[in-house]
Amino acid sequence: SEGEIYKFGDLKLFGNTVIPIEDAKKAVNDVMKPGQLFSRSKLEVTKNRLAFLLGDRGYAFPDIIAVPIINDETRVVDIEFRVNPGTRTTVRRINITGNESTNDEVYRREIRQFESSVHSNSKIERSKIRLQRLKYVESVEVKKIKVFESNDQVDIFFDITERASGEFKIGAGWSDSQGTLLNATIRQDNFLGTGNNV
């Protein structure tokens, strides 16, 4: 028995002292609006958007709870988003893992989030995109780990899966005027792990 269909009612935000009110409204209203059919997936998407905005201002581990207030008579669900930004966070270390054939500095020059600076989701996401665009990178996963016995520091891990970056071609042919023809091509997009093409 699926029960009755419910719709979103009032949407309220409590505890936010960090995100400008217009940005917070946009984050919520772009996904869910009063009168729309109730959807738990939209609740999760909205929570993630608010968390991203907080993380962009240095709050890497915010606590966001969506509290549904259900009215069975009108079949309307009011939503209260209760936000606890937590402590403003700085990045202690940035670690590169999975770089078996590439020098560490080749990847670090693509990263836009810096060590000892305030945590920023936008810079971390931009760094991930720049790393994934490299020809010799298959995929990139980002992990954030709180520093032990610290509530305002985080270590970031870029876990990189590399792909083969070399190419070798050989060909043979015959010409009436020149006789036997042989050709070979060797190409390396990541020569000696430096990121240079040879």
Side-chain angles (χ1 to χ4, degrees):
S1 174
E2 296 86 359
E4 301 292 339
I5 291 177
Y6 284 73
K7 295 183 178 181
F8 286 121
D10 291 336
L11 309 174
K12 298 178 181 177
L13 186 65
F14 295 98
N16 171 47
T17 57
V18 178
I19 310 171
I21 191 64
E22 290 305 319
D23 292 349
K25 283 182 179 179
K26 189 175 188 310
V28 174
N29 291 332
D30 282 353
V31 180
M32 50 195 288
K33 294 179 181 177
Q36 288 182 339
L37 293 182
F38 177 82
S39 167
R40 290 199 179 275
S41 64
K42 287 185 177 181
L43 281 179
E44 290 303 312
V45 170
T46 303
K47 285 170 59 178
N48 290 338
R49 286 172 67 98
L50 292 170
F52 186 90
L53 289 174
L54 288 165
D56 219 22
R57 289 162 172 80
Y59 300 87
F61 302 102
D63 185 22
I64 302 173
I65 301 172
V67 180
I69 301 170
I70 302 170
N71 188 324
D72 289 322
E73 291 183 4
T74 60
R75 293 199 275 278
V76 169
V77 182
D78 296 335
I79 305 295
E80 291 184 358
F81 290 99
R82 297 178 183 172
V83 177
N84 178 11
T87 307
R88 201 155 193 245
T89 310
T90 57
V91 176
R92 184 183 70 163
R93 285 200 191 100
I94 294 176
N95 301 289
I96 310 289
T97 59
N99 54 328
E100 297 175 357
S101 60
T102 307
N103 297 335
D104 196 70
E105 61 268 15
V106 173
Y107 291 130
R108 287 190 179 274
R109 67 190 179 203
E110 302 296 330
I111 294 175
R112 293 298 173 258
Q113 171 70 64
F114 301 118
E115 295 177 340
S116 301
S117 64
V118 175
H119 175 280
S120 170
N121 277 337
S122 293
K123 290 179 180 178
I124 293 170
E125 189 64 25
R126 181 65 181 154
S127 302
K128 180 180 177 181
I129 291 170
R130 289 177 65 92
L131 288 169
Q132 286 177 330
R133 286 180 178 169
L134 296 173
K135 293 181 180 179
Y136 37 89
V137 172
E138 182 74 32
S139 64
V140 180
E141 294 293 328
V142 179
K143 299 175 185 175
K144 303 174 187 178
I145 300 177
K146 288 183 178 179
V147 175
F148 182 64
E149 293 187 341
S150 173
N151 62 354
D152 63 350
Q153 287 186 317
V154 63
D155 288 342
I156 298 176
F157 290 79
F158 288 92
D159 188 14
I160 295 173
T161 302
E162 296 182 324
R163 62 161 60 104
S165 58
E167 182 182 5
F168 175 71
K169 293 180 182 178
I170 187 168
W174 171 263
S175 168
D176 288 336
S177 60
Q178 296 177 338
T180 303
L181 301 173
L182 298 173
N183 64 72
T185 302
I186 299 175
R187 176 187 174 93
Q188 175 60 259
D189 289 328
N190 188 17
F191 183 66
L192 298 178
T194 62
N196 295 317
N197 295 328
V198 174

